[in-house]
Amino acid sequence: MGFLFCYTIFARFKKRSQSKLLKMQNKGLIRLFAILFGLVSLYQLSFTFFANKVEKEAKAYANAEAVDSKDGRELARLEKRYKDSVANKEVIAGFTYDDIRDKEMNLGLDLKGGINAILQVSVKDILKGLSNESKNEVFLQALANADEKQKNSQADYLDIFYDEFENASNGSVKLSDPTIFGNKLLRDKIDFNKTNAEVKPILQEEINTSINTAFEVLRSRIDKFGVVQPNIQRIGTSGRIQVELPGAKDIDRVQKLLESTAKLQFWEVYTNADVQNFFLTANAKAAELLKGDAEEATTQKKDSTKSEIDELLEETTDATDAPTQKNLFTYLFPNIAQNQNQISSLVAQAKVADTAKVNSLLKNREIRALLPQNLRYVKFLWDYKAQPSADKTTQLIGLYAIKGNRGGLAPIEGDVIADAKQDYDQLSKPVVSMLMNGVGTKKWAKMTSENVGKFVAVVLDNYVYTAPVVNGAITGGSTQISGGSMTVEEAQDIATVLKAGKLPAPARIIEAEVVGPSLGKEAINASMWSFGLAILLVLVWMVLYYGKAGLYANIALVVNILFIFGILASFNSVLTLPGIAGIILTIGMSVDANVIIFERIKEALNSGKSLFDAVAEGFSTKGALSAIIDANITTLLTGIILYVFGTGPIKGFALTLMIGIGTSLFTAIFITRLFVDGAVTKGANLTFNTNLSKNWFQNINFDFLKKRKIAYVVSGTLILVGLVSIFTIGLKQGVDFKGGRSYVVRFNQPMKANEVASSLKEVLGTAPEVKTYGADNQLKITTVFKIDDKSKEVDEEVQSTLYNGLKPYLSEVSYEQFKPGFEKLGEAQGIMSYMKVDPTIADDIKQSAIWAVLGSLLVVFLYILLRFRKVSFSIGAVAAVFHDVLIVLGIFSIFYKFMPFDMEIGQSFIAAILTVVGYSLNDTVVIFDRIREYSENSKTFTAKLVDKALSSTLGRTINTSLTTMLVMLAIFFFGGDSIKGFMFALIIGVLVGTYSSLFVATPIMFDATKDKEKESKN
């Protein structure tokens, strides 16, 4: 119970409040601690400084050496070459670049670029493997039903499978049946006498073991990938694994590395001559199946592949405006063998975007029925890599015909590989050299001797990497994987996955966030500007309002920022854009602590006390400390909830918020007092105001409670209007709440969102959601196109389809340049960032968010009840929080269609809502603390007493809200586009929270108090 812990700490702190510590008798110790802590922080941050210096040198080297200074891939390669060359060289004081790189501050992918992915290890495939690929109908039916139920359920797949198995079997078959799990693989653990209840824990243990294996395999691969400070962790027992690779630029390479199961197979293959007659008959049957489905033929340049098809079909390639009947050859370009010299293992090619259509046609039962007896078990597999067409307008991928068999088992599997490494062939081209064990050596020698003059394919994860002709028997147990365009990195990755081992089941990316380095660089620049401006505004305001005392608070504020960054660097914490927002928010909280202290000192001075006594009272628990600690604990509790339920950047925000609370308390209570006490000791005349602010908020006596009925009407009206909008217009749910794909695409010209949406409707089938994102040349495109397709190539297919739909608006941008990842230079065009969320995990994210909000409200309710000992205080505080949340939701519902920035309801919005909860409670608790103080010195609890407490804290309330607003407005206007919606929610929340603490929380608390004295009618 976090609130009990916080309360215990507060109680102990209060008990010691009159001790020498708070009377500042140990100033020397505090001063020493602050100096040492500051030096340690500077030491930790120095690694970041020197690492940045080397990285700037690497960029300068890359720009000087690059043939094409606008080629992001080449620049990334040259930067890596430079960093590798200086990796073991001393940079400063005996530290090499590798040393300081490991100690520098981690930047999240929203500041550095990279990929954050959640992989789902397929429990279904683990179960199928444990059942030895069982064909039991009840088992297969239970798996199929579990797949359907999983789409709309947050339960574990295994639990759903158990329920569906019970329903499908109805007691007729048990899990321990020999045709299911009572097989040879599990005979030592499961026998046919075991009940379903006895089998379940055994299966759970086997699945946990498989997931642990998958985790270790993935970690081994990532460790060899070369990304600085990668992060990989399991998410509970759900079979999900989170991988964060900040700084990764080759996104395709990362995805292949993560999703590769490392299932290596060696197959014999059919040639193009073997299958071309089948393609002809299949083409005719496909035309029947697609009858009536016509398309407008477009003018295309002739290439060798096209002319061969034309010759085969005896048609012309002239452009025509007449609709043409679709058939197999609309999507597939056969590789025709007109003579012996043209025989090849490559049987056809297709556009990447058409591979799904080709797959569906070739798997069609009517088309499969046309296969001759010798091709009965043929398997059609794609090449591992697409190649540009002759005219460079599209990407073509090769198709191979594998000689399958009834059991679907390859003659040689990858478990015979003893070692693998990246190497070079006789032409100095990258290859993967593999060494087989004894069993594999014999099988390989037999297979190659039987296929001299024929083709053999090396298949990895159902993709063909090479299918060369066998010139002679290979008896040494060694072989190679080679591809015509294989890069060194690809060869290294293949060797890595083979050495790391095979995944026990496929791992599919169900959630991914990709941020290009260009957008990350812009985010850093924007955040630095907003950060600097926010600090400057606060520093100036504090001096203008509090004079010399404000200067002391500013010094404490700067020390606070140093401490925060020092702690983040020391613990290798990840700094994200929301994290920077969290730091800036703690600046407001740090200022708030000083404001509360200074206001209490001013009150004491106005009551006639000496400066020495006023300062002592201001820094005591009877003065400001009680309110400060209560307010910060409530914010800390919301930070803890955020950290527990949040993921990725939200955790970063919560972490910096919690660290900031601790450092701001220390600097406000101790560092500021060091300077204030020093000035008092030297006889300085501290007035805690200036000529400008001298008479502000003095002698205020406003009847707040008499206006509460008006406030109830105003608040009720706003909430009602908001609820009507929510239930009619609704809220704009983000991709992370509803599932789908979202792309931020930049163009070199202003774009019209509705026009682009219409164009994309033609290629995507349905119109995506398109909205201007920041500048008028940048769009955010959200689509659910093929989001339920779980095939590995679907992401590439959707991306390629998007490129084709946007091609008319892109000037001379190739598909490779359009894809996310490498830095986009010059007139940057293409995908700047990308997010994908599978519908199954979207439901989980939404549910976690709801629990986060409800959990924070419950914890805060209990904490306030514990601190103030009255239910009415908790009721007032929680009612105000509900009020604030509902109004923010209503505003987002009403205005999301009109605002020029994203107002999506997603994880970031939930973080904003919880921050609003914390801020609103911060305000409310400070007021409640003053009400409690006044009520302890009064025999009756009256409206006059409450109004007096509200009036006395009004200066602090407005001052704190104003400084916080200055900070957030600076971030809103000068921060990155990705954070505008988040900051807008905070701005509205601060305004509404300030209002509700005065006109909602306190009046409701007063009305709910049973032992109050009735109001006077006058």
Side-chain angles (χ1 to χ4, degrees):
M1 298 292 286
F3 72 94
L4 284 174
F5 172 77
C6 294
Y7 178 69
T8 303
I9 294 296
F10 171 77
R12 291 181 180 178
F13 191 77
K14 182 177 180 180
K15 188 176 180 180
R16 300 175 61 189
S17 64
Q18 302 304 319
S19 69
K20 293 182 178 181
L21 178 63
L22 285 182
K23 291 181 178 180
M24 300 303 290
Q25 298 299 314
N26 294 321
K27 295 178 185 177
L29 181 62
I30 293 171
R31 187 181 292 111
L32 177 63
F33 175 79
I35 292 171
L36 290 177
F37 198 178
L39 290 174
V40 170
S41 298
L42 289 171
Y43 171 76
Q44 291 293 339
L45 291 171
S46 67
F47 293 111
T48 303
F49 172 79
F50 289 110
N52 288 340
K53 185 173 179 290
V54 174
E55 286 167 10
K56 286 180 181 178
E57 292 170 355
K59 285 184 180 294
Y61 168 82
N63 288 322
E65 295 293 321
V67 176
D68 182 0
S69 60
K70 294 183 180 180
D71 186 346
R73 184 181 291 272
E74 183 183 8
L75 289 173
R77 180 178 58 80
L78 290 169
E79 282 182 39
K80 186 176 184 301
R81 179 196 294 177
Y82 180 86
K83 291 175 183 177
D84 289 343
S85 69
V86 300
N88 297 313
K89 290 184 179 179
E90 181 180 343
V91 175
I92 185 72
F95 289 101
T96 65
Y97 175 60
D98 271 355
D99 294 332
I100 63 174
R101 189 174 62 172
D102 290 336
K103 295 177 182 293
E104 70 173 323
M105 181 178 290
N106 295 343
L107 295 180
L109 54 125
D110 52 0
L111 292 174
K112 194 175 184 178
I115 180 170
N116 176 19
I118 294 178
L119 292 96
Q120 175 71 67
V121 179
S122 175
V123 176
K124 175 184 177 180
D125 285 291
I126 295 175
L127 289 172
K128 289 172 72 175
L130 292 172
S131 73
N132 201 17
E133 301 298 326
S134 171
K135 304 299 181 185
N136 184 287
E137 291 185 5
V138 173
F139 173 71
L140 295 178
Q141 185 62 49
L143 289 176
N145 292 345
D147 283 346
E148 284 300 314
K149 288 285 181 67
Q150 179 72 46
K151 293 178 182 178
N152 301 305
S153 173
Q154 282 74 50
D156 285 347
Y157 183 90
L158 189 59
D159 292 332
I160 299 174
F161 165 75
Y162 289 150
D163 292 339
E164 294 305 316
F165 184 85
E166 296 287 353
N167 294 334
S169 68
N170 197 22
S172 62
V173 63
K174 296 190 296 183
L175 290 170
S176 59
D177 189 279
T179 62
I180 309 178
F181 297 115
N183 55 57
K184 292 180 180 180
L185 292 175
L186 297 171
R187 61 187 172 190
D188 294 335
K189 299 179 180 180
I190 299 175
D191 60 65
F192 65 89
N193 291 319
K194 287 190 182 295
T195 64
N196 288 350
E198 292 173 324
V199 172
K200 287 177 181 180
I202 298 172
L203 291 180
Q204 184 67 68
E205 184 181 351
E206 291 293 320
I207 288 171
N208 288 341
T209 301
S210 295
I211 293 170
N212 283 333
T213 301
F215 177 79
E216 294 301 328
V217 168
L218 286 171
R219 184 164 63 180
S220 177
R221 293 179 187 179
I222 291 166
D223 287 343
K224 295 178 177 65
F225 186 67
V227 173
V228 180
Q229 297 163 334
N231 177 38
I232 176 170
Q233 57 185 338
R234 284 188 61 176
I235 302 177
T237 59
S238 62
R240 291 171 182 168
I241 299 171
Q242 183 173 16
V243 177
E244 293 178 281
L245 300 175
K249 296 179 180 179
D250 196 338
I251 303 303
D252 288 344
R253 182 185 173 197
V254 171
Q255 290 177 329
K256 288 177 182 176
L257 188 74
L258 294 178
E259 293 190 306
S260 173
T261 56
K263 183 181 180 182
L264 183 67
Q265 298 174 318
F266 296 83
W267 293 94
E268 297 174 347
V269 298
Y270 296 107
T271 66
N272 52 342
D274 293 331
V275 300
Q276 66 185 30
N277 288 333
F278 163 69
F279 280 155
L280 282 171
T281 56
N283 185 59
K285 175 56 71 174
E288 291 181 24
L289 297 173
L290 299 172
K291 191 173 183 179
D293 190 5
E295 67 176 352
E296 293 294 326
T298 56
T299 305
Q300 297 181 1
K301 295 181 180 180
K302 292 183 179 181
D303 57 31
S304 59
T305 303
K306 188 95 175 181
S307 62
E308 287 172 350
I309 298 169
D310 294 337
E311 186 175 339
L312 176 69
L313 301 175
E314 297 181 350
E315 296 176 353
T316 63
T317 58
D318 294 336
T320 175
D321 293 330
T324 58
Q325 174 60 49
K326 291 181 179 179
N327 52 40
L328 177 62
F329 293 158
T330 304
Y331 310 102
L332 186 71
F333 312 138
N335 183 19
I336 305 305
Q338 295 177 334
N339 54 57
Q340 192 67 25
N341 294 330
Q342 294 181 338
I343 291 178
S344 169
S345 57
L346 181 71
V347 300
Q349 286 181 298
K351 295 178 181 178
V352 172
D354 292 337
T355 53
K357 190 67 176 178
V358 173
N359 287 339
S360 67
L361 289 171
L362 292 179
K363 289 178 182 177
N364 182 276
R365 288 186 178 182
E366 294 185 50
I367 291 178
R368 291 287 298 185
L370 301 174
L371 286 166
Q373 189 64 29
N374 65 314
L375 296 177
R376 184 178 176 185
Y377 297 112
V378 66
K379 292 171 58 176
F380 291 103
L381 298 181
W382 296 103
D383 200 332
Y384 81 101
K385 189 176 183 180
Q387 304 291 340
S389 61
D391 58 5
K392 309 293 184 184
T393 60
T394 189
Q395 295 280 311
L396 297 177
I397 190 165
L399 184 70
Y400 296 85
I402 303 300
K403 288 186 179 180
N405 51 55
R406 176 186 284 273
L409 299 175
I412 303 177
E413 297 279 352
D415 53 5
V416 302
I417 301 299
D419 193 19
K421 65 177 181 177
Q422 184 267 316
D423 209 340
Y424 295 93
D425 62 11
Q426 299 89 334
L427 301 176
S428 297
K429 291 184 177 180
V431 296
V432 179
S433 293
M434 297 178 293
L435 183 64
M436 298 182 178
N437 59 24
V439 175
T441 299
K442 291 178 183 178
K443 288 183 177 181
W444 186 230
K446 182 176 183 292
M447 187 176 185
T448 52
S449 64
E450 292 174 351
N451 286 277
V452 174
K454 300 178 183 178
F455 299 91
V456 172
V458 180
V459 178
L460 183 63
D461 294 337
N462 287 325
Y463 288 95
V464 178
Y465 276 75
T466 183
V469 66
V470 178
N471 295 318
I474 303 173
T475 58
S478 62
T479 188
Q480 292 180 338
I481 298 178
S482 62
S485 59
M486 183 179 288
T487 64
V488 172
E489 288 83 3
E490 287 172 340
Q492 289 173 342
D493 290 345
I494 295 168
T496 294
V497 298
L498 291 177
K499 289 180 72 175
K502 185 173 70 173
L503 285 175
R508 188 172 64 88
I509 295 177
I510 58 173
E511 181 183 351
E513 183 180 7
V514 175
V515 178
S518 299
L519 201 61
K521 185 178 179 181
E522 292 170 6
I524 289 178
N525 293 335
S527 61
M528 291 306 293
W529 271 103
S530 63
F531 188 74
L533 181 61
I535 293 173
L536 181 62
L537 289 172
V538 171
L539 296 179
V540 170
W541 175 255
M542 290 298 287
V543 172
L544 286 176
Y545 195 88
Y546 290 110
K548 188 179 288 186
L551 181 62
Y552 298 152
N554 287 344
I555 295 171
L557 182 61
V558 173
V559 172
N560 181 29
I561 294 169
L562 174 64
F563 285 176
I564 292 172
F565 281 105
I567 292 171
L568 289 173
S570 299
F571 290 97
N572 285 326
S573 302
V574 179
L575 182 64
T576 62
L577 201 56
I580 290 177
I583 292 172
I584 297 177
L585 193 61
T586 60
I587 292 173
M589 295 175 62
S590 179
V591 169
D592 179 44
N594 282 298
V595 166
I596 295 173
I597 292 169
F598 290 170
E599 291 297 320
R600 289 305 295 254
I601 293 173
K602 284 165 64 176
E603 286 180 25
L605 289 172
N606 291 336
S607 67
K609 292 184 180 180
S610 68
L611 181 59
F612 182 85
D613 291 337
V615 169
E617 181 177 316
F619 282 95
S620 70
T621 51
K622 289 184 177 180
L625 291 189
S626 178
I628 290 171
I629 294 170
D630 277 335
N632 278 273
I633 286 177
T634 53
T635 308
L636 177 65
L637 290 173
T638 59
I640 292 171
I641 297 292
L642 265 177
Y643 190 80
V644 170
F645 288 95
T647 58
I650 305 307
K651 274 188 180 290
F653 172 78
L655 181 65
T656 54
L657 186 65
M658 290 188 292
I659 291 172
I661 288 170
T663 57
S664 64
L665 272 174
F666 175 79
T667 53
I669 295 172
F670 296 115
I671 303 298
T672 303
R673 187 164 187 187
L674 279 175
F675 288 100
V676 171
D677 274 8
V680 172
T681 303
K682 293 177 182 178
N685 183 25
L686 287 179
T687 59
F688 295 90
N689 57 33
T690 63
N691 291 331
L692 179 67
S693 62
K694 189 174 183 178
N695 296 316
W696 290 6
F697 308 113
Q698 297 297 314
N699 302 318
I700 295 174
N701 190 15
F702 188 76
D703 295 329
F704 287 93
L705 291 183
K706 285 187 177 180
K707 310 295 182 185
R708 68 181 184 277
K709 292 181 181 178
I710 298 174
Y712 288 164
V713 171
V714 171
S715 294
T717 303
L718 290 174
I719 291 172
L720 182 62
V721 171
L723 288 174
V724 169
S725 178
I726 290 169
F727 287 112
T728 54
I729 300 173
L731 293 160
K732 182 185 177 185
Q733 293 190 58
V735 167
D736 47 356
F737 270 19
K738 66 182 180 182
R741 292 180 178 85
S742 181
Y743 302 86
V744 173
V745 184
R746 184 172 295 176
F747 304 83
N748 64 355
Q749 58 185 330
M751 301 299 296
K752 295 180 179 178
N754 57 346
E755 182 182 323
V756 173
S758 299
S759 298
L760 289 176
K761 183 179 179 180
E762 297 178 12
V763 294
L764 297 177
T766 57
E769 183 183 288
V770 182
K771 188 171 183 178
T772 301
Y773 188 79
D776 58 5
N777 69 328
Q778 197 164 260
L779 298 176
K780 186 171 187 178
I781 302 168
T782 304
T783 177
V784 293
F785 178 62
K786 294 200 172 184
I787 192 59
D788 291 321
D789 190 331
K790 297 183 179 180
S791 60
K792 284 188 177 181
E793 56 273 0
V794 68
D795 289 335
E796 182 75 14
E797 182 187 340
V798 173
Q799 201 166 253
S800 176
T801 304
L802 181 69
Y803 170 70
N804 291 328
L806 294 176
K807 196 184 295 183
Y809 307 102
L810 299 166
S811 59
E812 299 180 357
V813 175
S814 68
Y815 178 61
E816 284 299 315
Q817 293 169 326
F818 174 79
K819 290 159 70 173
F822 295 101
E823 193 166 353
K824 301 181 188 302
L825 304 162
E827 290 187 347
Q829 295 184 79
I831 298 174
M832 308 301 289
S833 68
Y834 154 66
M835 175 179 275
K836 167 198 169 182
V837 180
D838 193 271
T840 55
I841 196 173
D843 288 337
D844 295 350
I845 293 171
K846 190 189 299 184
Q847 189 171 15
S848 295
I850 293 170
W851 281 114
V853 174
L854 294 178
S856 65
L857 291 176
L858 176 62
V859 169
V860 165
F861 179 91
L862 294 174
Y863 176 77
I864 292 178
L865 178 62
L866 197 63
R867 281 292 293 122
F868 293 96
R869 307 288 183 176
K870 288 185 179 180
V871 175
S872 58
F873 282 85
S874 290
I875 292 172
V878 173
V881 167
F882 270 110
H883 166 276
D884 300 343
V885 170
L886 288 174
I887 288 181
V888 173
L889 283 170
I891 288 173
F892 266 62
S893 174
I894 295 168
F895 293 104
Y896 78 82
K897 291 184 178 180
F898 312 108
M899 289 295 185
F901 51 84
D902 258 343
M903 294 180 70
E904 292 182 344
I905 307 300
Q907 290 187 87
S908 294
F909 177 80
I910 296 302
I913 286 293
L914 287 175
T915 307
V916 168
V917 168
Y919 184 87
S920 176
L921 288 167
N922 189 316
D923 250 3
T924 302
V925 166
V926 170
I927 293 171
F928 281 4
D929 197 82
R930 185 61 66 91
I931 293 171
R932 179 181 57 185
E933 179 188 335
Y934 283 1
S935 64
E936 287 175 352
N937 298 320
S938 175
K939 295 180 180 179
T940 56
F941 191 73
T942 64
K944 187 175 181 181
L945 180 148
V946 173
D947 285 337
K948 181 182 176 183
L950 285 169
S951 298
S952 67
T953 57
L954 188 62
R956 171 264 158 200
T957 301
I958 293 176
N959 203 352
T960 297
S961 298
L962 183 60
T963 53
T964 307
M965 283 297 295
L966 287 174
V967 168
M968 290 191 293
L969 287 171
I971 309 172
F972 179 77
F973 286 111
F974 299 98
D977 296 323
S978 62
I979 207 170
K980 284 194 184 298
F982 175 75
M983 294 311 303
F984 184 73
L986 290 182
I987 290 169
I988 298 299
V990 167
L991 289 173
V992 176
T994 303
Y995 159 81
S996 70
S997 62
L998 296 170
F999 294 101
V1000 178
T1002 307
I1004 288 177
M1005 177 276 297
F1006 182 77
D1007 287 338
T1009 301
K1010 294 180 180 180
D1011 57 347
K1012 66 179 182 292
E1013 183 180 285
K1014 291 185 178 180
E1015 294 178 79
S1016 171
K1017 292 183 180 181
N1018 296 328

